[in-house]
């Protein structure tokens, strides 16, 4: 009996041990976690508001796209820009008597000639040495050899006849002889109003550095001051900013400027300028040509081409040669070459208020056989004046 009980106890213990081993092995094996459930999405809290709006926003009715007015695309939306301010139109100074008003400026550098001659002629005895000094004074003033000889001969005769010479008589005598030398009877009007057509055509030519483009702009002011409408042709296509410079001059007085591409054909620009001048009914077309070196044959030939192309529409009424008065006798060489290429009809002397000698007026007229028509007496916009012999001579001999 005891043996049976002992066997049962042993069997129970063995079964309990086996059961413990089985449970322990099951705990070591981990089952995969179940898939996470989808989270519940809740609406975010409403943004805080102030006052009457401090509540949760409510849904409001919204318009559909059919209910919204949209542009039909037939007309583009135009954004208006503020209009550009037009340049203020200046009123040029009247040209009548302009040289008289500038007499003081002219006389600053010219008195050496007139006062020198008056001082020499006032000597009690006019011997050969004195007459040689008179000749030297005239030659130094760029009058030229032949005009100097003619003037000295006339002065010799008149002083000999006059005998006793008072300062006033000497002044009158010298004034008369200088007026004769300068030429009081020459036609100095700039021809801009042909009788049979419009517009008048003026070409402005000259060497680099003489102030040619500036002179063209100032001449436009002179013509506008005289009541004429002007078109400017910027045919100087080789110098950088030359067209811009001329256009600025034109805008200041309301003159239209015709220009072409940089380094373009100058003859084409000149042709277009005359064509537009006709269409606009302008009184005058001013053509600013490129500055030419008178030693460059090809460039001078091109200048002749510009004139020929322009004359396919109408004759050129004026060809004004701009000379720097300070170059003296060298300017005569330039004038001679230009006159061989184009028919010069008038001279414009610039910088006559500087170190220039007044005698260049006489010399250049003798060289070309054409009159000085305009003189530049400063850097101001209205310092270009029609040449008036009486005012010029009065400035030479002083008051």
């Amino acid at each position: 009996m005891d043996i049976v009980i002992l066997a049962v106890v042993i069997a129970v213990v063995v079964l309990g041990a086996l059961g413990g081993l089985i449970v322990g092995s099951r705990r070591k094996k981990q089952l995969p976690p179940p898939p996470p459930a989808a989270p519940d999405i809740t609406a975010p809290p409403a943004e805080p508001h102030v006052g009457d709006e401090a509540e949760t926003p409510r849904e409001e009715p919204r318009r559909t796209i059919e209910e919204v007015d949209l542009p039909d695309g037939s007309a583009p939306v135009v954004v208006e820009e503020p209009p550009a301010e037009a340049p203020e139109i200046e009123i040029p100074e009247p040209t009548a008597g302009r040289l008289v008003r500038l007499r003081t400026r002219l006389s600053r550098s010219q008195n050496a000639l007139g006062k020198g001659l008056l001082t020499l002629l006032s000597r009690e005895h006019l011997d050969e040495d004195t007459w040689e000094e008179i000749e030297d004074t005239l030659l130094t003033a760029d009058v030229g050899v032949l005009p100097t000889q003619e003037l000295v001969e006339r002065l010799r005769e008149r002083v000999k006849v006059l005998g006793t010479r008072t300062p006033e008589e000497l002044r009158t005598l010298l004034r008369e002889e200088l007026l004769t030398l300068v030429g009081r009877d020459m036609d100095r009007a700039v021809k801009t109003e042909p009788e049979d057509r419009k517009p008048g055509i003026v070409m402005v030519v000259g060497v680099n550095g003489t102030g040619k483009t500036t002179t063209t702009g100032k001449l436009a002011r002179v013509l506008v001051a005289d009541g004429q409408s002007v078109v400017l042709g910027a045919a100087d296509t080789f110098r950088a900013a030359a067209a811009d410079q001329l256009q600025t001059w034109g805008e200041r007085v309301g003159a239209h400027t015709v220009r072409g591409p940089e380094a373009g054909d100058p003859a084409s620009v000149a042709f277009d300028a005359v064509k537009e001048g006709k269409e606009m009914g302008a009184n005058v077309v001013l053509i600013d040509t490129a500055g030419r070196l008178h030693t460059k044959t090809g460039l001078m030939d091109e200048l002749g081409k510009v004139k020929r192309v322009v004359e396919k529409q109408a004759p050129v009424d004026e060809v004004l040669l701009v000379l720097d008065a300070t170059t003296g006798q060298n300017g005569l060489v330039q004038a001679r070459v230009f006159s061989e290429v184009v028919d010069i009809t008038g001279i414009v002397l610039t910088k006559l208020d500087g170190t220039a000698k007044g005698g260049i007026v006489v010399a250049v007229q003798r060289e070309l056989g054409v009159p000085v028509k305009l003189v530049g007496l400063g850097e101001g916009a209205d310092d270009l004046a029609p040449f008036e012999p009486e005012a010029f001579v009065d400035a030479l001999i002083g008051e």
Side-chain angles (χ1 to χ4, degrees):
M1 186 68 178
D2 293 333
I3 295 173
V4 173
I5 294 171
L6 180 61
V8 172
V9 172
I10 292 171
V12 171
V13 172
V14 171
L15 290 173
L18 290 174
L21 290 173
I22 293 171
V23 172
S25 63
R26 288 182 176 178
R27 287 179 178 175
K28 292 178 181 180
K29 294 181 180 180
Q30 296 292 333
L31 297 176
D40 294 334
I41 299 175
T42 59
E47 295 183 0
H49 293 272
V50 179
D52 295 339
E53 295 183 355
E55 60 179 355
T56 303
R58 298 184 297 270
E59 291 188 3
E60 297 180 355
R62 300 177 180 275
R63 292 185 297 171
T64 63
I65 192 171
E66 290 79 4
E67 297 172 336
V68 178
D69 293 332
L70 298 176
D72 56 6
S74 59
V77 178
V78 179
V79 179
E80 294 186 1
E81 297 181 358
E85 293 185 4
E88 183 178 352
I89 303 299
E90 299 178 8
I91 301 177
E93 181 181 341
T95 59
R98 185 181 287 190
L99 188 59
V100 175
R101 294 192 294 276
L102 299 172
R103 182 188 301 176
T104 301
R105 189 177 303 167
L106 177 62
S107 63
R108 289 174 188 167
S109 61
Q110 309 303 325
N111 274 347
L113 172 59
K115 288 186 176 180
L117 291 177
L118 280 175
T119 300
L120 292 172
L121 290 172
S122 299
R123 291 180 180 178
E124 186 175 353
H125 299 289
L126 297 178
D127 54 16
E128 289 300 319
D129 290 340
T130 302
W131 287 113
E132 287 183 6
E133 289 185 50
I134 292 174
E135 285 187 0
D136 290 342
T137 300
L138 291 168
L139 291 173
T140 304
D142 290 330
V143 172
V145 176
L146 291 179
T148 293
Q149 292 175 347
E150 294 175 8
L151 178 59
V152 170
E153 285 300 319
R154 290 200 303 268
L155 288 174
R156 277 177 177 266
E157 293 177 4
R158 295 195 62 177
V159 168
K160 189 175 184 179
V161 172
L162 186 62
T164 304
R165 306 176 303 277
T166 66
E168 190 59 36
E169 287 173 334
L170 281 175
R171 184 183 298 276
T172 301
L173 181 152
L174 185 59
R175 184 178 189 275
E176 291 176 356
E177 291 300 331
L178 286 174
L179 274 175
T180 300
L181 194 64
V182 170
R184 69 176 82 193
D185 299 327
M186 302 182 78
D187 182 9
R188 301 182 187 276
V190 179
K191 294 179 175 59
T192 58
E193 300 181 83
E195 297 180 357
D196 56 341
R197 59 181 167 78
K198 287 174 64 174
I201 303 172
V202 179
M203 282 182 61
V204 183
V205 302
V207 177
N208 294 304
T210 57
K212 181 175 47 55
T213 299
T214 299
T215 298
T216 305
K218 290 183 178 181
L219 178 55
R221 294 180 67 89
V222 170
L223 296 173
V224 170
D226 290 339
Q228 301 191 52
S229 57
V230 178
V231 169
L232 297 172
D236 185 352
T237 60
F238 297 108
R239 183 170 65 88
D244 293 335
Q245 181 184 357
L246 188 65
Q247 184 168 351
T248 299
W249 277 102
E251 289 174 347
R252 292 169 66 178
V253 292
H256 176 62
T257 302
V258 178
R259 53 189 297 176
E262 187 174 343
D265 181 15
S268 176
V269 176
F271 184 88
D272 291 342
V274 175
K275 181 180 179 182
E276 290 195 30
K278 286 182 175 181
E279 294 172 352
M280 296 173 63
N283 298 112
V284 187
V285 175
L286 297 180
I287 301 172
D288 175 35
T289 61
R292 309 286 164 173
L293 293 174
H294 61 283
T295 56
K296 303 294 185 181
T297 305
L299 293 176
M300 295 299 291
D301 291 344
E302 188 176 275
L303 182 61
K305 173 190 172 185
V306 172
K307 186 171 184 288
R308 291 192 299 273
V309 169
V310 168
E311 289 185 329
K312 292 180 179 180
Q313 296 198 74
V316 174
D317 301 287
E318 284 275 11
V319 179
L320 298 177
L321 174 63
V322 180
L323 292 177
D324 184 339
T326 62
T327 60
Q329 295 295 314
N330 185 50
L332 301 183
V333 179
Q334 301 172 8
R336 189 181 306 116
V337 176
F338 273 93
S339 65
E340 294 172 358
V341 178
V342 289
D343 295 327
I344 305 297
T345 60
I347 306 295
V348 182
L349 282 177
T350 62
K351 308 177 186 178
L352 198 58
D353 62 324
T355 59
K357 313 298 195 308
I360 191 64
V361 172
V362 176
V364 73
Q365 289 183 156
R366 287 294 186 92
E367 179 67 33
L368 297 184
V370 298
V372 172
K373 296 191 173 185
L374 298 161
V375 289
L377 299 172
E379 300 297 329
D382 292 319
D383 288 345
L384 184 71
F387 184 76
E388 302 169 13
E390 291 80 4
F392 178 74
V393 170
D394 289 341
L396 289 182
I397 62 178
E399 298 297 335

